[in-house]
Amino acid sequence: MLRVCFGFALLLLAASGVTAEERPNFIIMIADDVSWDDLGAYGHPHIRTPNLDQMAADGVRYDLAFLTCSSCSPSRCSIMTGRYPHSTGAGELHQPLPADQVMFPALLKQAGYYTAAAGKWHLGEPARKAFDRIEDGRPSGCEKWVEVLHERPRDKPFFLWLAAYDAHRGYSKGTLKVPHTNEDAVVPPYLPDAPETRGDLAMYYDEISRLDSYAGKVLAELDEQKAAENTLVLFLADNGRPFPRCKTTVYDSGVRTPFIVRWPVVVPRGSVCRELVSSIDIAPTFCELAGLRPAPTFQGQSFVPQLPTPDVAIRDHIVAEHNWHDYEAYERGLRDQRYLYIRNWRPELPGTPPADAVRSPTYAVMQKMRDAGGSLTPDQRSCFLTPRPEEELYDTIEDPHCLRNLADAPGSQEVLVRMRAAMVSHRKKYDDPEPGQLTPDRFDREEGTPLKK
C-alpha cells in the first residue's frame, strides 16, 4: 500500500497544474555541531534523545549521510544552494551567501510555498529574500519553532528551516533539570579519558537533549494540525561535535551527520538506509518532490528514489571540504561506503580544532597532558603534530575512528590510486582549483584568542 501511495504521489507531482493540497510540506530541523553517533537512534547508550529516536522509528535513518563541510555557515550555504562550498562564494566561515546564488527555498517560495526560518541564521543578509518570515530565539535557537509552525498560513504548502544553536559552544550548567553526568560520557579514543573531557561531553549532551525536546514539540504540533502525513521532516546537523579531531575535519567525526527523514505517507517506518547521501542532495530532492525542475546550478543528486526504497544507491562517493575556519586550512576528503581518502595541501600546519574548542576544558587537559610528556597516546597527540601526511587513507569498517593511515601500506595501493583518481576527477568536474594564497590564522592555536591584525 505504501508503494502505491508513493507512486500516486509521484504521478501527481509529475502532472501539470499541481495544486497546493497535492504538494508535500517540508521541515528541516538542523542541529549545530552534533556528530552522527550522538543520538540514541544511532546507538549512543546514555544520551537522552527520545523524540529524535521516535522520529527514526517512524521514518528512515540514514547511516551514511555526509556534509560537504564541517564548518557552520559554509555547510548551511551548501545545503541551501545544493552546491559544494567552494562553488557557493561562501566557502569559508562567516562569509555571506552571495545574492546571485540560487537557493532552493527561494524556488519553493516562487512556486507558491510559504517559507520561514527560525533560530540560528548564519547565511548572510542576501539570503533573507528567500523567506517570508525569519525569527531568532535564544539560548537554544529553538524557542520560536512551534510558534512559526503554528502561525503559518493554512492555504499554502510550506517549507520551514528550523535551526538550533544547540549544541554549539559555550556550555553552561543548568541546561537540563537532570543533567547528564560524567559517567554518561562516551569518550572516543582520540580524546583523553579524563574528568575534564567527560564533564565537557556531558554538557554537550545536555544541549542535544534540549534540542531533542523542541524537536518533539514540532512533531506534536504537526500532529495537532493534522499535517503530519504529508509533511517531510528531515533532521540533520551542520557539522560534527566541537571537540578536537571532530568539527572542521573531513573525518567521519566531522562530516558524517545524523540524517533522519519522516514522511508517513511515503517512508517505511523503522527503515534504515545504508547507501551514501550528501547534504547537497537535499535541494534537488525537495524541488523534485514539489514538482519543480532542479536548478541547473545544483550539484547534488536527488534521493527521491530512496524514500520508499532505502536500499537504492544514488551515488558511489561523497566529497567534503575543509577551508578556513579560524585557522588556515585546505583539505578535501572523498568517502565511499568503506574507504576515506584525504588530501591535505597544508601538511606543515597542525590539525588545530576551532578556536572555541581550543578554549575548551577538553583541549586544556590535552595541552596539560602533552606538556607533561608521555601522557597522551599517539592518536590523542595528532592535533598537535606537524608535519601531517599529505595523503591519508582509512578503512572505515575496520577502523571506524580513522586512526590507522593506510596511504603507505603496500596492500592498499590499488585503493589509494582509485580514490586519488576519483578526487582528481571530482575537482576537475566542479572547478575546485589548486589553492593559492589562503586566509591566514586569525586566532592563536594554543590559546584560541584573537590575533592582533
Side-chain angles (χ1 to χ4, degrees):
M1 179 62 182
L2 184 67
R3 295 176 187 274
V4 172
C5 291
F6 183 73
F8 180 63
L10 289 184
L11 286 174
L12 287 174
L13 295 174
S16 59
V18 179
T19 68
E21 292 77 12
E22 293 166 344
R23 287 180 287 179
N25 308 306
F26 304 107
I27 295 178
I28 290 179
M29 294 187 285
I30 184 165
D32 198 354
D33 297 7
V34 174
S35 285
W36 73 278
D37 51 353
D38 288 330
L39 300 179
Y42 285 91
H44 198 288
H46 303 302
I47 195 165
R48 300 192 293 273
T49 53
N51 296 294
L52 293 171
D53 298 349
Q54 185 60 51
M55 181 177 164
D58 293 338
V60 56
R61 185 193 77 208
Y62 281 75
D63 283 358
L64 288 175
F66 293 86
L67 304 160
T68 59
C69 190
S70 185
S71 178
C72 305
S73 58
S75 177
R76 293 162 189 256
C77 290
S78 177
I79 292 169
M80 286 292 188
T81 60
R83 294 171 65 78
Y84 290 101
H86 75 273
S87 298
T88 66
E92 296 184 352
L93 182 65
H94 303 315
Q95 289 181 328
L97 188 66
D100 62 353
Q101 290 290 307
V102 177
M103 299 173 60
F104 81 85
L107 300 179
L108 294 177
K109 181 180 177 182
Q110 293 168 10
Y113 273 73
Y114 174 74
T115 60
K120 182 174 181 176
W121 182 242
H122 217 188
L123 296 165
E125 288 301 311
R128 291 180 178 272
K129 66 181 183 297
F131 292 89
D132 294 299
R133 177 179 179 180
I134 299 174
E135 299 285 351
D136 197 349
R138 295 280 185 165
S140 173
C142 312
E143 287 78 2
K144 296 292 185 71
W145 284 11
V146 172
E147 176 185 313
V148 169
L149 174 58
H150 181 74
E151 295 178 358
R152 67 178 177 87
R154 302 302 170 93
D155 60 344
K156 290 184 174 183
F158 62 87
F159 166 74
L160 303 185
W161 173 259
L162 306 180
Y165 290 102
D166 292 337
H168 195 287
R169 293 182 185 276
Y171 303 140
S172 59
K173 295 183 179 180
T175 299
L176 298 181
K177 290 183 178 179
V178 181
H180 292 86
T181 67
N182 284 21
E183 289 70 31
D184 293 325
V186 175
V187 184
Y190 46 79
L191 299 178
D193 193 348
E196 294 87 345
T197 308
R198 286 183 169 268
D200 205 9
L201 285 167
M203 287 199 289
Y204 160 71
Y205 295 170
D206 287 349
E207 293 212 355
I208 296 174
S209 286
R210 178 169 64 181
L211 163 62
D212 176 84
S213 70
Y214 284 104
K217 292 175 183 178
V218 168
L219 298 175
E221 176 66 19
L222 280 175
D223 290 337
E224 179 69 22
Q225 295 182 20
K226 295 181 171 50
E229 286 296 306
N230 197 34
T231 300
L232 188 160
V233 184
L234 167 61
F235 175 85
L236 79 162
D238 64 346
N239 47 247
R241 69 179 75 88
F243 284 76
R245 214 174 183 273
C246 298
K247 182 178 177 180
T248 70
T249 76
V250 291
Y251 298 116
D252 279 16
S253 51
V255 293
R256 190 172 176 182
T257 181
F259 201 93
I260 302 171
V261 177
R262 193 191 78 163
W263 188 14
V265 73
V266 171
V267 174
R269 294 186 74 253
S271 53
V272 177
C273 179
R274 296 182 176 87
E275 299 293 337
L276 293 163
V277 70
S278 171
S279 58
I280 59 168
D281 299 335
I282 295 170
T285 299
F286 282 20
C287 283
E288 180 177 345
L289 292 173
L292 307 176
R293 291 183 177 180
T297 55
F298 290 168
Q299 296 171 337
Q301 301 169 223
S302 171
F303 59 86
V304 165
Q306 291 178 336
L307 295 174
T309 313
D311 59 354
V312 172
I314 64 166
R315 53 170 61 245
D316 55 19
H317 66 261
I318 64 90
V319 172
E321 304 180 6
H322 178 194
N323 304 312
W324 184 90
H325 181 123
D326 298 337
Y327 303 107
E328 181 178 338
Y330 196 96
E331 296 170 66
R332 299 293 184 261
L334 186 140
R335 172 75 147 82
D336 64 17
Q337 287 202 321
R338 179 162 189 165
Y339 293 99
L340 168 65
Y341 169 78
I342 297 173
R343 173 76 166 87
N344 179 15
W345 279 263
R346 290 294 185 268
E348 70 276 12
L349 300 175
T352 310
D356 59 353
V358 171
R359 299 189 295 266
S360 72
T362 296
Y363 205 67
V365 75
M366 292 176 71
Q367 290 171 315
K368 182 178 179 180
M369 295 172 70
R370 174 201 62 187
D371 295 341
S375 300
L376 293 176
T377 68
D379 296 330
Q380 294 160 5
R381 294 179 65 87
S382 62
C383 60
F384 301 116
L385 297 180
T386 56
R388 291 184 292 151
E390 291 187 18
E391 289 185 301
E392 300 172 58
L393 179 68
Y394 299 97
D395 183 337
T396 65
I397 294 177
E398 298 295 330
D399 178 23
H401 292 292
C402 300
L403 303 177
R404 298 189 297 274
N405 184 7
L406 303 176
D408 294 327
S412 301
Q413 293 310 296
E414 182 179 345
V415 176
L416 178 68
V417 170
R418 172 172 59 82
M419 300 290 276
R420 181 192 292 148
M423 175 68 79
V424 171
S425 176
H426 170 89
R427 288 169 54 77
K428 182 178 180 180
K429 179 178 180 180
Y430 294 106
D431 193 22
D432 189 12
E434 291 290 312
Q437 184 175 355
L438 299 178
T439 304
D441 294 358
R442 292 182 182 168
F443 292 82
D444 184 272
R445 288 181 179 259
E446 283 290 299
E447 299 179 0
T449 53
L451 296 173
K452 294 181 179 179
K453 294 183 179 180

